[in-house]
Amino acid sequence: FLVQGVGIVLGGTLRSGKFSVNDRLLVGPDRSGFYRNVLLKSIHRQCVPSQHVYEGQHATLAIKSLGRNKEQLKRNQFRKGMVVVREQDRELLEQNTVREFLADIKVLHHSTTISPGYSPVVHLGVVRQAAIILSIKDRDGNECTARTGSEVTVRFRFLHAAEFLSKGRSLIFREGRAKGCGRVAELYPPENVQLFQS
């Protein structure tokens, strides 16, 4: 949200750990794949100001930009699916910010066959983005195509931007009336890619 007199306010549920007012955080990945440094100015839980937010609690966080240039934060720099992480958890971001991942899927419905090059919209919690299928393998590891009822392992590549994912996360993919579901089996973090803006 962009609240007049306050600035950018982010909302969501804290999945692990604890945030406190004046914590230094990283928010991202943005459309370019970067995480930006921010300062947590205030926390509201159930419309009441708070000093802390704990695991499992829903909260809104007012933030301001940090860094050398301290640019003004704008609403168009944020999108659904971005995460907020403590500054000391950079290693977690480097391991889990990916464009490519492997998923074990089951095709629930498709009128023909699915082969590499097919690009459905993939939903992983609040993350939703078109992804192209790079390869499809059966349970024995052989290249194959998929059709309704198939249980296969698929390598996806997001078309537009990197996303923060975790192994075991459930997913749904769809395109028109075609649907499938599954779980993330493996992540392929890019090598030698700068994720953090100074």
Side-chain angles (χ1 to χ4, degrees), residues 125-144:
V126 294
V127 171
R128 64 177 189 270
Q129 189 179 151
I132 190 166
I133 293 178
L134 301 176
S135 68
I136 302 174
K137 294 187 178 177
D138 60 19
R139 295 294 180 224
D140 300 324
N142 302 318
E143 294 283 333
C144 64

Side-chain angles (χ1 to χ4, degrees), residues 13 24-25 34 48 53 60 85 111 132 143 152 169 178 191:
T13 302
R24 297 169 73 93
L25 307 171
F34 290 111
V48 177
V53 61
T60 54
V85 180
S111 57
I132 190 166
E143 294 283 333
V152 292
R169 195 165 181 183
E191 295 179 18

Side-chain angles (χ1 to χ4, degrees), residues 26-145:
L26 292 163
V27 178
D30 61 16
R31 288 176 181 88
S32 303
F34 290 111
Y35 287 85
R36 63 180 73 244
N37 292 300
V38 297
L39 180 72
L40 180 52
K41 293 193 310 186
S42 69
I43 299 170
H44 274 68
R45 287 188 6 247
Q46 299 176 335
C47 301
V48 177
S50 176
Q51 290 297 304
H52 310 282
V53 61
Y54 299 93
E55 181 176 341
Q57 294 180 334
H58 184 81
T60 54
L61 313 173
I63 59 171
K64 77 174 186 179
S65 182
L66 285 177
R68 278 188 234 147
N69 35 1
K70 280 194 174 182
E71 65 179 282
Q72 179 80 23
L73 297 176
K74 298 181 181 84
R75 171 68 184 93
N76 65 0
Q77 295 170 325
F78 299 89
R79 62 188 175 92
K80 285 185 178 180
M82 293 176 80
V83 295
V84 180
V85 180
R86 291 176 309 146
E87 200 172 49
Q88 52 266 43
D89 292 332
R90 285 178 180 246
E91 189 176 313
L92 175 73
L93 296 177
E94 290 168 354
Q95 295 167 357
N96 291 43
T97 303
V98 297
R99 293 232 19 197
E100 292 185 20
F101 64 96
L102 203 65
D104 295 323
I105 64 157
K106 179 170 184 169
V107 180
L108 300 176
H109 175 73
H110 196 277
S111 57
T112 59
T113 60
I114 297 173
S115 56
Y118 177 69
S119 55
V121 175
V122 178
H123 298 260
L124 297 119
V126 294
V127 171
R128 64 177 189 270
Q129 189 179 151
I132 190 166
I133 293 178
L134 301 176
S135 68
I136 302 174
K137 294 187 178 177
D138 60 19
R139 295 294 180 224
D140 300 324
N142 302 318
E143 294 283 333
C144 64
T145 58

Side-chain angles (χ1 to χ4, degrees), residues 141-196:
N142 302 318
E143 294 283 333
C144 64
T145 58
R147 50 184 47 88
T148 301
S150 296
E151 292 188 23
V152 292
T153 302
V154 174
R155 185 164 179 163
F156 285 102
R157 182 174 203 281
F158 287 121
L159 291 178
H160 305 293
E163 299 285 1
F164 181 88
L165 303 181
S166 54
K167 283 186 189 177
R169 195 165 181 183
S170 58
L171 68 86
I172 296 171
F173 67 90
R174 64 173 181 77
E175 184 210 27
R177 299 181 75 172
K179 296 176 192 66
C181 61
R183 291 202 178 275
V184 175
E186 193 68 45
L187 302 175
Y188 298 104
E191 295 179 18
N192 303 321
V193 172
Q194 178 66 30
L195 294 176
F196 309 104

